[in-house]
Amino acid sequence: MATRIALLEAGGTADFRQVDLKTKRLEDGSDFLAINPLGQVPVLRLENGALLTENPVVLQYVADRFPRSNLASQTVEARYCLQQWLNFITSELHKLVFTPLLDPMANEGARQYAHEKAELRLGYLDSHLQGRETVLDGFTITDAYLITVLNWSRTSGIDLAKWPAIKTYMERLLKRPSVAKALADEFDLHNAKLKRKAET
Ligand SMILES: N[C@@H](CCC(=O)N[C@@H](CS)C(=O)NCC(=O)O)C(=O)O
């Protein structure tokens, strides 16, 4: 979803392949673990055949491939700041807070732990977003990633009412055309998958 948003913002294209994250199979039945042994998305295959994984890396590749989109700062100091936010989103929010809340295999202890960790991290994010429309100056890949992760609050039992700046940020970004389209595309794919499952 984050890569989809970044590509829409950049006006770029990719040949998307759907992965069943439970069975680790692609739509043609081939083994996804042969592509990414970790069995995780996103994976981006470049024109030269090389594979890139890990959201912060895939997103920076898209931004750098389309520099005129201004999706990532090009100066060294500003790039470190952007990487700091990408790392915060990926390690502190995505994996530490949201993954245990979304994973049906997580037990009650794991969920409780994630909720406890959420307090400090979402409080920190809320302070940063006060008076800001985007994470950095102007829409960047940090926003593409952050809105993707925050959108999971709707199904993970995280009530954003406690963090008004995050709530406002999320409501605004969900209306952004690239975000709305990426969400709608992913929703359609999800529904098509459910329909296929019901038919088998
Ligand atoms: N560290 C990876 C994590 C990616 C990740 O957790 N992706 C989820 C989907 S949002 C996934 O593929 N989960 C399946 C699994 O972990 O088995 C990254 O930043 O790209």
Side-chain angles (χ1 to χ4, degrees), residues 4-34:
R4 205 181 273 280
I5 296 171
L7 281 166
L8 284 165
E9 289 281 341
T13 51
D15 177 11
F16 286 95
R17 304 290 167 95
Q18 211 174 349
V19 181
D20 186 324
L21 290 175
K22 273 202 195 110
T23 62
K24 308 293 183 199
R25 300 254 154 217
L26 283 108
E27 276 177 297
D28 61 5
S30 58
D31 182 12
F32 180 56
L33 294 174

Side-chain angles (χ1 to χ4, degrees), residues 21 24 38-42 53-56 90 94-95 99 145 152:
L21 290 175
K24 308 293 183 199
L38 291 176
Q40 295 183 322
V41 293
T53 60
E54 302 297 330
N55 272 294
T90 202
H94 181 170
K95 299 311 287 188
T99 293
Y145 196 7
W152 297 328

Side-chain angles (χ1 to χ4, degrees), residues 144-184:
Y145 196 7
L146 183 59
I147 189 60
T148 300
V149 170
L150 290 177
N151 189 45
W152 297 328
S153 63
R154 303 202 273 194
T155 47
S156 64
I158 294 257
D159 182 4
L160 292 179
K162 263 172 90 175
W163 298 286
I166 299 181
K167 199 161 180 281
T168 308
Y169 168 88
M170 189 174 154
E171 283 163 3
R172 190 177 44 248
L173 279 214
L174 286 177
K175 290 188 198 132
R176 195 175 169 97
S178 63
V179 177
K181 175 155 175 30
L183 257 180

Side-chain angles (χ1 to χ4, degrees), residues 18-170:
Q18 211 174 349
V19 181
D20 186 324
L21 290 175
K22 273 202 195 110
T23 62
K24 308 293 183 199
R25 300 254 154 217
L26 283 108
E27 276 177 297
D28 61 5
S30 58
D31 182 12
F32 180 56
L33 294 174
I35 297 169
N36 181 3
L38 291 176
Q40 295 183 322
V41 293
V43 178
L44 184 64
R45 192 189 298 276
L46 309 185
E47 280 125 346
N48 68 5
L51 294 174
L52 288 185
T53 60
E54 302 297 330
N55 272 294
V57 173
V58 171
L59 288 169
Q60 285 185 81
Y61 178 85
V62 172
D64 291 336
R65 180 83 170 62
F66 301 95
R68 269 180 291 167
S69 62
N70 290 324
L71 284 169
S73 8
Q74 297 299 328
T75 64
V76 172
E77 265 178 40
R79 181 57 72 100
Y80 285 139
C81 186
L82 175 124
Q83 288 179 344
Q84 181 184 311
W85 280 103
L86 287 174
N87 280 291
F88 168 76
I89 296 162
T90 202
S91 61
E92 302 298 327
L93 298 181
H94 181 170
K95 299 311 287 188
L96 184 65
V97 173
F98 285 97
T99 293
L101 296 177
L102 294 168
D103 188 342
M105 301 292 281
N107 64 20
E108 200 35 53
R111 261 192 284 278
Q112 180 63 32
Y113 182 78
H115 274 293
E116 279 166 24
K117 294 291 172 189
E119 293 295 308
L120 182 66
R121 284 149 187 81
L122 292 177
Y124 166 75
L125 178 64
D126 192 71
S127 304
H128 177 74
L129 289 177
Q130 276 165 28
R132 303 191 63 96
E133 297 217 338
T134 47
V135 173
L136 300 165
D137 293 338
F139 186 95
T140 63
I141 47 176
T142 59
D143 299 295
Y145 196 7
L146 183 59
I147 189 60
T148 300
V149 170
L150 290 177
N151 189 45
W152 297 328
S153 63
R154 303 202 273 194
T155 47
S156 64
I158 294 257
D159 182 4
L160 292 179
K162 263 172 90 175
W163 298 286
I166 299 181
K167 199 161 180 281
T168 308
Y169 168 88
M170 189 174 154

